Amino acid sequence: MVAGLDGDGAAHGQLLAALGGYLRAHFRRKLGAGSADVEDLVQETLIAIHVKRAVYDRAQPFTPWAYAIARYKLLDHYRRTGARRQVPLDEVGDLFAEENPEEGAVRRDVDKLLSRLPARQQRLMRDVKLAGFSMEEAAERSGMSVSAAKVSVHRGMKRLESEVGDEDR
Amino acid sequence: MKTADLISALAADTAPVKPVRVTTRLAAACLAGALATGVVLTAWLGLRPLGEAVQTSAFWMKAGYTLALALAGFLLVSRLARPGGRPGRVLTIVLLAVAVMAGLSAIELMRAGPGAMRPLMMGQSASVCSLRILALSIPAYFGAIFVLRRLAPTRLALTGAAAGLLAGGVGASVYGLYCGETAATFVVIWYTLGITASTALGALIGSRLLRW
């Protein structure tokens, strides 16, 4: 992104092409794969990112910035078509979610964050929050009682939230 | 148009861009808005004798309150001007300012006793104060909107509300150059009402004006 801001057209093109892939997957998930609006939204978002690139603050992370524009364009689309109103705010990770093969960056962030927790808690949280086990199953896998597992997951989330929060500031 | 073609077209058009300085632009707009409001006020109502006024604590109490709210609005607008911007902890400034003012008013009312409450609340100009502040907030509001339309806010109603708070704070600060009310109770009721109205209208209008 920064190279593109300084006038490097090739780097900018690569960025937009990569983003196009993410955005297509993202909007497909929101609108349904067959929707004719998906490609329009991809293009609109890319244009917006291009036109507004001077508004990007180089000190800030790029992913939330691009996601916010994608979300805005999606809301704009809903407003025009009058279909659906609410898009939850807390889906930042969603843009780069599992089904996309190129989702390395966010996955790495999650791993890095989780690695700050003790091993047992880490495994428990992976099972419950990422792998989709129920609390009971996860507790059994870790050899804990269900209530202990609940407490542990809850504390883990709190701690991650506070650490992420600190970085935001 | 194919997306791949679009991307190469966009990539071909990559003039280097300077990062925008949100706070500089916004500060310039505020200053221009405040000056315009000052001119409007002078022509409409005139100023009060400021030489005496600046020696009273009431003048600075009002100015401190309205400028604190304007500052909070300024910080909110500059955060929300970029995609993904969040209000963060700026809202505490607003709460703090209102709380301090309400505290001053409570002390004032207790000292005055039950008989003197009404003049402290209504002053001489209760019926017009809030509306005048709302009217005087218009120049700064459109100044902020002008700047924001060249940026990229993604939460339009919230950004509009922040612009309304900023403009209400500026408008009320300028109005303080005319208004001779000295009671904290009056200020916390009628000034706050005027700025709240400006914030609410700002949200309402902003969600339309700020689309991009």
Side-chain angles (χ1 to χ4, degrees):
Chain A
M1 181 67 182
V2 172
L5 289 178
D6 291 332
D8 182 342
H12 193 56
Q14 277 171 19
L15 173 80
L16 291 180
L19 276 174
Y22 293 135
L23 291 169
R24 197 166 296 116
H26 177 63
F27 288 135
R28 264 192 199 141
R29 224 169 315 124
K30 296 287 178 187
L31 298 175
S35 171
D37 298 327
V38 168
E39 210 55 34
D40 284 353
L41 271 173
V42 171
Q43 294 194 357
E44 264 180 46
T45 309
L46 288 177
I47 293 174
I49 287 173
H50 176 74
V51 171
K52 296 288 185 182
R53 64 193 191 280
V55 182
Y56 172 64
D57 178 353
R58 298 177 189 217
Q60 298 294 318
F62 179 69
T63 311
W65 188 84
Y67 175 76
I69 292 185
R71 177 176 178 275
Y72 176 75
K73 285 296 169 192
L74 186 66
L75 279 176
D76 202 43
H77 170 76
Y78 287 146
R79 182 165 52 215
R80 269 180 282 129
T81 54
R84 233 176 72 186
R85 289 275 167 194
Q86 295 291 319
V87 174
L89 275 173
D90 48 5
E91 287 184 3
V92 180
D94 208 49
L95 177 54
F96 299 94
E98 301 239 14
E99 65 193 60
N100 194 319
E102 301 149 315
E103 39 80 62
V106 167
R107 171 55 50 91
R108 257 202 311 281
D109 287 351
V110 171
D111 285 342
K112 207 164 75 188
L113 204 57
L114 275 174
S115 70
R116 297 181 196 175
L117 298 175
R120 206 157 105 126
Q121 194 176 22
Q122 226 184 93
R123 171 155 176 223
L124 195 62
M125 297 207 26
R126 270 183 205 285
D127 283 354
V128 176
K129 297 289 179 186
L130 298 176
F133 285 99
S134 74
M135 195 62 87
E136 287 75 17
E137 290 163 342
E140 202 179 316
R141 281 162 61 91
S142 302
M144 301 166 88
S145 75
V146 176
S147 54
K150 274 186 190 162
V151 171
S152 177
V153 168
H154 179 69
R155 285 193 184 144
M157 284 309 281
K158 277 257 159 150
R159 185 163 155 204
L160 292 185
E161 268 170 27
S162 76
E163 295 200 357
V164 172
D166 286 345
E167 283 172 2
D168 270 356
R169 268 160 215 151
Chain B
M1 193 182 195
K2 289 264 169 54
T3 303
D5 299 339
L6 175 78
I7 290 174
S8 20
L10 293 180
D13 162 45
T14 341
V17 290
K18 273 194 199 149
V20 296
R21 293 169 182 276
V22 172
T23 44
T24 319
R25 288 192 190 182
L26 192 60
C30 285
L31 207 63
L35 284 176
T37 312
V39 171
V40 171
L41 179 78
T42 316
W44 177 23
L45 299 165
L47 304 177
R48 64 184 171 135
L50 288 173
E52 296 164 31
V54 294
Q55 289 171 24
T56 63
S57 57
F59 177 84
W60 293 109
M61 165 195 79
K62 278 201 295 190
Y65 179 57
T66 54
L67 287 174
L69 292 180
L71 173 73
F74 184 90
L75 294 174
L76 282 172
V77 171
S78 36
R79 278 165 160 258
L80 292 167
R82 298 178 197 270
R86 292 182 208 179
R89 282 182 289 185
V90 181
L91 289 173
T92 38
I93 301 183
V94 179
L95 294 178
L96 207 66
V98 177
V100 167
M101 214 50 212
L104 287 175
S105 154
I107 295 170
E108 189 182 70
L109 287 173
M110 274 193 296
R111 279 195 188 148
M117 274 174 73
R118 198 177 153 75
L120 288 177
M121 276 169 60
M122 306 306 285
Q124 306 290 319
S125 57
S127 57
V128 287
C129 170
S130 302
L131 274 176
R132 283 178 180 167
I133 288 176
L134 184 60
L136 290 171
S137 72
I138 293 171
Y141 182 71
F142 284 100
I145 293 291
F146 177 83
V147 170
L148 280 169
R149 284 188 57 88
R150 277 146 195 82
L151 299 168
T154 49
R155 298 172 70 180
L156 304 189
L158 194 60
T159 313
L165 175 65
L166 166 60
V170 169
S173 303
V174 173
Y175 183 60
L177 301 177
Y178 162 81
C179 165
E181 302 286 354
T182 53
T185 310
F186 182 92
V187 173
V188 80
I189 297 175
W190 303 108
Y191 274 55
T192 310
L193 181 66
I195 296 172
T196 308
S198 160
T199 308
L201 266 178
L204 214 64
I205 307 173
S207 58
R208 299 185 172 275
L209 286 185
L210 292 174
R211 282 180 200 168
W212 52 278

